[in-house]
Amino acid sequence: MSLTSSRQSVCLSVQREYGELAIRTAKKLGALDETLKIRSEDDRILIPLARRLSDSEHSNLCSLIEDFYISSADFPMNTRRPKTILEALEDTLPPHLLASLPNSLDIVGNIAIVHVPEELTNHTRELGEAIMRVNRHVRTVLRKIGSVEGQLRVRQFQLIAGEDKTETLHKEFGCKYRVDPTKVYFSPRLSSEHDRVASKVKNNEVVLDMFAGVGPFSILIGKRHSDVKVYAVDVNPDAIRFLKENVDLNRVRDRVVPIQGDVQSVIRNQLKGVADRIIMNLPLESMRFIDVACEAFKTSGGTIHYYAFGQDPDALDKARRGLVRAVAAAG
Ligand code: SAM
């Protein structure tokens, strides 16, 4: 295998004394190609550009630097990567904006998902490119717009850097998931919860994953236990399309059964009295589905993994009391 160690690029050629100013300006414009190493030739500095400069950028540069021209040259690849977004942007953004840089992001396959604070809305491209430089596997950076919404629990995103490609392959606990976060719900933050629930499942159980998404509970359970049956239901046709693909990818076709539809009618039409364990991962609304969940249990009963949102100090007790009341009311 041969690795490319240099690449030709359009570049800015300036006299040595203007080198620093020119590099800073190219960075500020977001035009510096940081995948290539800046180099010198005789008394000039050659600065690789990621794109051609616009006319206004060109005249802006003319006002700052007396003697420069645009040409083309070979550049060695820049292998040194910044370790943090802060390090990647410290020469580009002023200190008050550096203080607002996000300190967390979600990585789904080769897609990074970030919340951009209000103060940085004019610098989304720089932020996206910095995220890509720090995270070598990231090919696409999406900015969260608004919150997770609607029955399908999907959020809006804006592409801020990289390829306009939102389908990816995510790996979690040895399982592979095809997923497109713009079409289906998926959160890598739930990975330890997927693992925790899967570790509770016992041999021979029948599990009903009422709000399965692309299958991170169902598939992990199917992968860990050869003698389980998991019914994985979701109303979102895209989620079920990915779930079916993921069932094949992870070779759990004999254990995990994807079913598309509203879980209420799915249970009433085909899953009454079948389950030992039910996963209700729809925190905003799970209470509404307790009665139908009870119909899905075997007569011997079983375990519910119940999710709810709460902010009060006694949120857990409140959720527990609500659940007990709802189960009693369901008879
Ligand atoms: N459990 C998955 C995970 O961990 O990634 C996805 C959870 S997501 C919070 C909730 C899912 O419930 C969404 O995929 C949504 O499409 C689905 N959903 C919402 N209402 C539903 C309903 N009435 N019947 C079936 N699925 C539903």
Side-chain angles (χ1 to χ4, degrees):
M1 187 172 75
S2 81
L3 291 175
T4 315
S5 55
S6 74
R7 179 157 53 79
Q8 195 170 53
S9 169
V10 62
C11 67
L12 190 61
S13 168
V14 298
Q15 278 184 334
R16 205 172 277 276
E17 69 242 53
Y18 289 109
E20 216 181 299
L21 176 61
I23 294 166
R24 228 179 318 126
T25 311
K27 258 191 187 175
K28 233 185 231 161
L29 295 174
L32 180 66
D33 186 343
E34 302 197 37
T35 63
L36 298 175
K37 274 186 187 153
I38 295 165
R39 67 180 182 85
S40 62
E41 200 169 81
D42 305 324
D43 62 340
R44 302 190 72 82
I45 302 289
L46 306 186
I47 302 160
L49 296 179
R51 58 177 176 81
R52 295 203 169 269
L53 299 180
S54 68
D55 289 349
S56 66
E57 289 170 336
H58 206 272
S59 33
N60 181 13
L61 216 55
C62 281
S63 66
L64 295 170
I65 299 167
E66 273 173 25
D67 169 31
F68 79 91
Y69 56 84
I70 303 290
S71 74
S72 170
D74 246 12
F75 289 90
M77 300 300 290
N78 195 357
T79 46
R80 157 91 177 79
R81 275 177 183 271
K83 292 210 166 20
T84 62
I85 308 173
L86 177 65
E87 191 190 333
L89 288 172
E90 63 193 351
D91 297 330
T92 312
L93 297 181
H96 72 282
L97 291 182
L98 290 176
S100 302
L101 288 176
N103 43 27
S104 72
L105 59 97
D106 289 341
I107 306 257
V108 179
N110 60 16
I111 300 175
I113 298 174
V114 65
H115 166 73
V116 179
E118 192 65 33
E119 311 85 87
L120 289 170
T121 46
N122 292 330
H123 300 276
T124 52
R125 194 186 58 204
E126 291 99 313
L127 175 61
E129 281 165 5
I131 290 171
M132 289 182 67
R133 272 189 287 133
V134 173
N135 300 278
R136 132 189 348 255
H137 302 296
V138 168
R139 294 276 171 274
T140 300
V141 184
L142 300 178
R143 170 192 183 188
K144 291 180 186 174
I145 304 283
S147 44
V148 170
E149 276 177 351
Q151 188 187 29
L152 307 188
R153 312 309 297 143
V154 180
R155 180 199 293 279
Q156 303 268 311
F157 295 98
Q158 177 197 4
L159 174 75
I160 61 169
E163 298 168 21
D164 189 1
K165 193 166 164 264
T166 51
E167 195 176 310
T168 187
L169 185 73
H170 182 77
K171 293 185 187 157
E172 192 178 282
F173 289 107
C175 298
K176 295 178 194 152
Y177 302 104
R178 274 239 162 259
V179 57
D180 180 337
T182 67
K183 295 195 173 123
V184 298
Y185 177 93
F186 187 82
S187 172
R189 295 180 192 212
L190 290 182
S191 68
S192 49
E193 182 60 10
H194 300 145
D195 175 51
R196 190 189 69 83
V197 170
S199 72
K200 302 275 179 199
V201 175
K202 298 184 190 73
N203 289 341
N204 296 313
E205 279 190 358
V206 177
V207 179
L208 167 58
D209 188 357
M210 285 177 65
F211 310 102
V214 302
F217 285 109
S218 298
I219 285 176
L220 186 58
I221 293 169
K223 228 12 197 183
R224 293 227 176 122
H225 304 271
S226 55
D227 46 5
V228 287
K229 184 72 134 190
V230 188
Y231 294 104
V233 182
D234 205 287
V235 73
N236 181 348
D238 286 313
I240 293 296
R241 177 168 58 84
F242 285 118
L243 175 57
K244 285 181 174 164
E245 219 179 301
N246 296 335
V247 163
D248 287 344
L249 264 178
N250 294 282
R251 301 202 187 95
V252 289
R253 218 177 311 164
D254 56 333
R255 280 156 258 174
V256 179
V257 184
I259 305 174
Q260 198 254 312
D262 182 315
V263 71
Q264 216 147 3
S265 26
V266 170
I267 290 176
R268 292 198 167 130
N269 292 331
Q270 49 182 313
L271 297 178
K272 273 188 163 191
V274 299
D276 298 294
R277 184 179 296 274
I278 299 184
I279 304 165
M280 301 188 71
N281 183 218
L282 185 65
L284 206 58
E285 280 194 290
S286 34
M287 178 55 75
R288 204 159 68 71
F289 294 89
I290 292 292
D291 55 346
V292 76
C294 290
E295 292 177 35
F297 272 131
K298 287 179 178 165
T299 44
S300 50
T303 304
I304 292 185
H305 295 274
Y306 176 75
Y307 297 83
F309 290 129
Q311 285 181 332
D312 311 333
D314 67 339
L316 188 60
D317 272 344
K318 252 191 184 164
R320 192 176 285 131
R321 282 197 302 271
L323 176 61
V324 168
R325 256 200 316 272
V327 171

